[in-house]
Amino acid sequence: MARQKKSEREYVFRRAQGRCEFCRSPAAFAHQSFSLEHIRPRSRQGKESPANLALSCQGCNNHKYNRTKARDPVSNEEVRLFHPRRDRWAFHLAWTDDATQILGLTAIGRATVEALQLNRVALVNLRRVLVEAGEHPPSEG
Ligand SMILES: [Zn+2]
């Protein structure tokens, strides 16, 4: 794994406001440090630049792996995954009323919820506690 420059990591972290750009969980409440996810994998000529990097929790990073596409569970068609640099989170994804689960609003959103398992049990439990603490959901979506 290539070592990222400290300034680049800080830039990506700040840009993401310290939250995973897929499941939106805050790094401040994670027990593992977050990764700089290559949206387009290096194995597929993805660049090592901030335009191709997203702040990601370990769970989302592991589930995404080197994928850029997945099946929409409704249409069963293969679509591209949510792209944090090109897509708006709130266009493709939304919180349930109690803010503990993420819903896919579009084919891309639904495929991303499934592929990255954005409603993992530990995430749902964390969101429940963060709602109680007034730390969730994030105001920006
Ligand atoms: Zn995540």
Side-chain angles (χ1 to χ4, degrees), residues 20 22-25 56-57 60 120:
C20 172
F22 300 98
C23 73
R24 312 293 286 134
S25 61
S56 176
C57 72
C60 289
R120 303 186 290 276

Side-chain angles (χ1 to χ4, degrees), residues 90-105:
F91 182 81
H92 294 285
L93 300 152
W95 298 109
T96 52
D97 287 343
D98 67 358
T100 62
Q101 308 246 355
I102 295 175
L103 301 169
L105 302 176

Side-chain angles (χ1 to χ4, degrees), residues 27-38:
F29 291 93
H31 65 281
Q32 289 181 304
S33 63
F34 280 18
S35 297
L36 298 194
E37 156 72 25
H38 292 77

Side-chain angles (χ1 to χ4, degrees), residues 11 15 32 35 38 42 48 57 64 73-74 77 79 84 96 120 131 135 138-139:
Y11 170 75
R15 182 177 63 186
Q32 289 181 304
S35 297
H38 292 77
R42 280 173 293 179
E48 190 76 37
C57 72
K64 183 175 174 296
V74 172
E77 283 179 35
V79 297
T96 52
R120 303 186 290 276
V131 165
E135 300 273 354
S139 55

Side-chain angles (χ1 to χ4, degrees), residues 11-12 15 39 47-54 83-86:
Y11 170 75
V12 172
R15 182 177 63 186
I39 301 166
K47 293 204 171 76
E48 190 76 37
S49 75
N52 189 44
L53 294 173
H83 190 302
R85 299 281 70 76
R86 294 182 194 152

Side-chain angles (χ1 to χ4, degrees), residues 122-136:
L123 283 178
V124 172
N125 287 336
L126 175 64
R127 291 168 191 154
R128 194 173 292 135
V129 172
L130 292 178
V131 165
E132 288 291 317
E135 300 273 354
H136 180 78

